[in-house]
Amino acid sequence: MTKCAELLNQTIDVDFADINAGCPIDLVSEKGGGCALMTRSNKFEQTVRGMNSVLDVPLTVKIRTGVQEKRNVAHQIIPRIREWGAATLTLHGRSREQWYTRVADWDYRAECAKIASPMPLCGSAKPCQPPAMQQPPLAAPLTVTPMATGAAEALPPG
Protein backbone atom coordinates (compact mmCIF):
# COMPACT_ATOMS: atom_id res chain seq x y z
CA MET A 1 0.00 0.00 0.00
CA THR A 2 2.97 2.28 0.53
CA LYS A 3 3.99 1.91 -3.12
CA CYS A 4 0.41 2.64 -4.18
CA ALA A 5 0.32 5.75 -1.96
CA GLU A 6 3.61 6.92 -3.46
CA LEU A 7 2.27 6.45 -6.99
CA LEU A 8 -0.93 8.32 -6.17
CA ASN A 9 1.05 11.10 -4.55
CA GLN A 10 3.21 11.50 -7.66
CA THR A 11 0.50 11.25 -10.32
CA ILE A 12 -2.79 12.73 -9.12
CA ASP A 13 -3.97 15.61 -6.97
CA VAL A 14 -5.84 14.40 -3.89
CA ASP A 15 -6.85 16.08 -0.64
CA PHE A 16 -6.18 13.02 1.54
CA ALA A 17 -5.63 9.26 1.42
CA ASP A 18 -7.62 6.76 3.47
CA ILE A 19 -6.93 3.26 4.76
CA ASN A 20 -10.23 1.42 5.09
CA ALA A 21 -9.49 -1.04 7.89
CA GLY A 22 -13.21 -1.16 8.53
CA CYS A 23 -14.28 -3.21 5.53
CA PRO A 24 -16.12 -6.34 6.74
CA ILE A 25 -16.31 -8.10 3.36
CA ASP A 26 -15.08 -11.72 3.59
CA LEU A 27 -13.10 -11.57 0.34
CA VAL A 28 -11.10 -8.60 1.69
CA SER A 29 -10.69 -9.84 5.27
CA GLU A 30 -9.68 -13.35 4.27
CA LYS A 31 -6.73 -11.87 2.38
CA GLY A 32 -5.62 -9.84 5.43
CA GLY A 33 -7.15 -6.50 4.44
CA GLY A 34 -10.06 -4.48 5.77
CA CYS A 35 -11.04 -5.43 9.33
CA ALA A 36 -8.34 -8.09 9.42
CA LEU A 37 -5.75 -5.31 9.72
CA MET A 38 -7.14 -4.60 13.18
CA THR A 39 -5.82 -8.03 14.27
CA ARG A 40 -2.46 -7.67 12.51
CA SER A 41 -0.77 -4.96 14.56
CA ASN A 42 2.67 -5.13 12.90
CA LYS A 43 1.22 -5.07 9.37
CA PHE A 44 -1.22 -2.29 10.33
CA GLU A 45 1.61 -0.17 11.78
CA GLN A 46 3.84 -0.81 8.77
CA THR A 47 1.01 0.23 6.43
CA VAL A 48 0.11 3.44 8.28
CA ARG A 49 3.71 4.55 8.87
CA GLY A 50 4.77 3.61 5.34
CA MET A 51 1.94 5.42 3.60
CA ASN A 52 2.30 8.44 5.87
CA SER A 53 6.01 8.68 5.02
CA VAL A 54 5.41 9.03 1.26
CA LEU A 55 2.27 11.18 1.18
CA ASP A 56 2.17 14.97 0.95
CA VAL A 57 -1.47 14.94 2.12
CA PRO A 58 -3.10 13.78 5.36
CA LEU A 59 -3.61 10.07 5.88
CA THR A 60 -6.89 8.98 7.43
CA VAL A 61 -7.82 5.57 8.80
CA LYS A 62 -11.22 3.89 9.20
CA ILE A 63 -11.77 1.07 11.69
CA ARG A 64 -14.69 -0.67 13.38
CA THR A 65 -15.38 -1.21 17.08
CA GLY A 66 -13.69 -4.59 16.69
CA VAL A 67 -13.87 -7.81 14.76
CA GLN A 68 -16.10 -9.81 17.09
CA GLU A 69 -19.48 -8.67 18.35
CA LYS A 70 -19.39 -7.54 22.00
CA ARG A 71 -15.56 -7.43 22.03
CA ASN A 72 -14.69 -3.79 21.45
CA VAL A 73 -10.99 -3.23 20.84
CA ALA A 74 -10.93 0.11 19.01
CA HIS A 75 -10.09 1.97 22.20
CA GLN A 76 -6.87 -0.07 22.43
CA ILE A 77 -5.91 0.50 18.79
CA ILE A 78 -6.71 4.21 18.54
CA PRO A 79 -3.69 5.51 20.52
CA ARG A 80 -1.38 3.45 18.32
CA ILE A 81 -2.98 4.72 15.10
CA ARG A 82 -2.48 8.28 16.38
CA GLU A 83 1.16 7.48 17.25
CA TRP A 84 1.73 5.97 13.80
CA GLY A 85 0.85 9.32 12.20
CA ALA A 86 -2.77 9.20 11.03
CA ALA A 87 -4.31 12.66 10.76
CA THR A 88 -7.92 11.59 11.33
CA LEU A 89 -9.72 8.42 12.36
CA THR A 90 -13.18 7.27 11.36
CA LEU A 91 -14.85 4.77 13.67
CA HIS A 92 -17.73 2.67 12.38
CA GLY A 93 -19.90 1.96 15.41
CA ARG A 94 -20.29 -1.76 14.75
CA SER A 95 -18.01 -4.80 14.74
CA ARG A 96 -17.13 -6.82 11.66
CA GLU A 97 -19.51 -9.58 12.79
CA GLN A 98 -22.35 -7.05 13.01
CA TRP A 99 -21.72 -5.79 9.47
CA TYR A 100 -24.36 -3.10 8.92
CA THR A 101 -27.28 -4.80 10.66
CA ARG A 102 -27.28 -3.65 14.30
CA VAL A 103 -27.61 -0.25 15.93
CA ALA A 104 -24.32 1.64 16.07
CA ASP A 105 -22.80 2.07 19.52
CA TRP A 106 -22.72 5.87 19.89
CA ASP A 107 -21.67 5.71 23.55
CA TYR A 108 -18.59 3.67 22.68
CA ARG A 109 -17.72 6.07 19.90
CA ALA A 110 -17.97 8.97 22.34
CA GLU A 111 -15.52 7.13 24.63
CA CYS A 112 -13.18 6.55 21.69
CA ALA A 113 -13.38 10.22 20.67
CA LYS A 114 -11.93 11.16 24.05
CA ILE A 115 -9.15 8.59 23.65
CA ALA A 116 -8.36 9.81 20.12
CA SER A 117 -8.01 13.46 21.11
CA PRO A 118 -6.38 15.61 19.85
CA MET A 119 -6.70 13.55 16.65
CA PRO A 120 -10.16 14.16 15.15
CA LEU A 121 -12.53 11.18 15.29
CA CYS A 122 -15.36 10.88 12.77
CA GLY A 123 -18.40 8.71 13.40
CA SER A 124 -19.85 6.47 10.72
CA ALA A 125 -22.74 3.97 10.54
CA LYS A 126 -25.88 5.15 8.74
CA PRO A 127 -27.00 7.50 11.55
CA CYS A 128 -30.21 8.44 9.76
CA GLN A 129 -31.76 4.99 9.69
CA PRO A 130 -34.18 3.93 12.42
CA PRO A 131 -33.56 2.70 15.09
CA ALA A 132 -30.18 4.44 15.05
CA MET A 133 -32.01 7.78 15.00
CA GLN A 134 -32.99 7.09 18.62
CA GLN A 135 -29.33 7.78 19.47
CA PRO A 136 -28.56 10.90 17.42
CA PRO A 137 -24.96 11.44 16.33
CA LEU A 138 -24.94 14.95 17.78
CA ALA A 139 -25.27 13.46 21.27
CA ALA A 140 -21.71 12.14 21.01
CA PRO A 141 -18.65 14.43 21.06
CA LEU A 142 -17.45 13.41 17.61
CA THR A 143 -15.52 15.82 15.44
CA VAL A 144 -17.42 14.87 12.27
CA THR A 145 -20.43 12.71 11.54
CA PRO A 146 -20.67 11.91 7.82
CA MET A 147 -24.11 11.54 6.31
CA ALA A 148 -23.87 9.12 3.44
CA THR A 149 -25.54 5.80 2.78
CA GLY A 150 -28.98 5.81 4.34
CA ALA A 151 -29.29 9.58 4.73
CA ALA A 152 -31.48 9.94 1.65
CA GLU A 153 -33.64 7.04 2.84
CA ALA A 154 -34.51 8.97 6.00
CA LEU A 155 -35.63 12.11 4.19
CA PRO A 156 -39.35 12.62 3.55
CA PRO A 157 -40.41 12.49 -0.12
CA GLY A 158 -40.50 15.76 -2.03
Side-chain angles (χ1 to χ4, degrees):
M1 287 183 59
T2 300
K3 288 181 182 181
C4 181
E6 190 170 28
L7 180 64
L8 289 172
N9 198 55
Q10 294 170 354
T11 58
I12 62 173
D13 186 27
V14 296
D15 294 323
F16 66 93
D18 183 66
I19 298 171
N20 185 358
C23 179
I25 305 300
D26 291 338
L27 180 65
V28 175
S29 291
E30 288 169 1
K31 294 183 186 250
C35 287
L37 275 175
M38 293 179 63
T39 64
R40 302 175 66 205
S41 185
N42 291 338
K43 184 64 173 176
F44 202 178
E45 178 179 3
Q46 177 186 16
T47 301
V48 174
R49 287 188 189 274
M51 288 179 68
N52 199 42
S53 72
V54 299
L55 289 168
D56 295 330
V57 295
L59 177 65
T60 66
V61 176
K62 179 180 179 182
I63 62 173
R64 285 181 172 255
T65 58
V67 175
Q68 298 172 325
E69 188 172 1
K70 298 180 182 174
R71 283 197 75 207
N72 292 340
V73 297
H75 65 282
Q76 297 168 341
I77 298 170
I78 289 170
R80 289 184 277 165
I81 293 171
R82 184 182 60 232
E83 178 187 314
W84 299 336
T88 302
L89 179 74
T90 298
L91 178 62
H92 186 103
R94 298 179 185 94
S95 70
R96 178 183 185 270
E97 285 183 354
Q98 291 174 306
W99 284 66
Y100 304 98
T101 59
R102 308 268 178 7
V103 175
D105 188 342
W106 292 100
D107 292 335
Y108 182 64
R109 286 193 293 182
E111 176 186 331
C112 288
K114 292 175 188 169
I115 293 168
S117 184
M119 178 178 64
L121 186 127
C122 305
S124 155
K126 293 188 179 185
C128 288
Q129 285 187 324
M133 290 176 66
Q134 296 166 3
Q135 295 176 311
L138 297 179
L142 303 176
T143 307
V144 176
T145 301
M147 299 293 190
T149 311
E153 298 166 12
L155 297 174

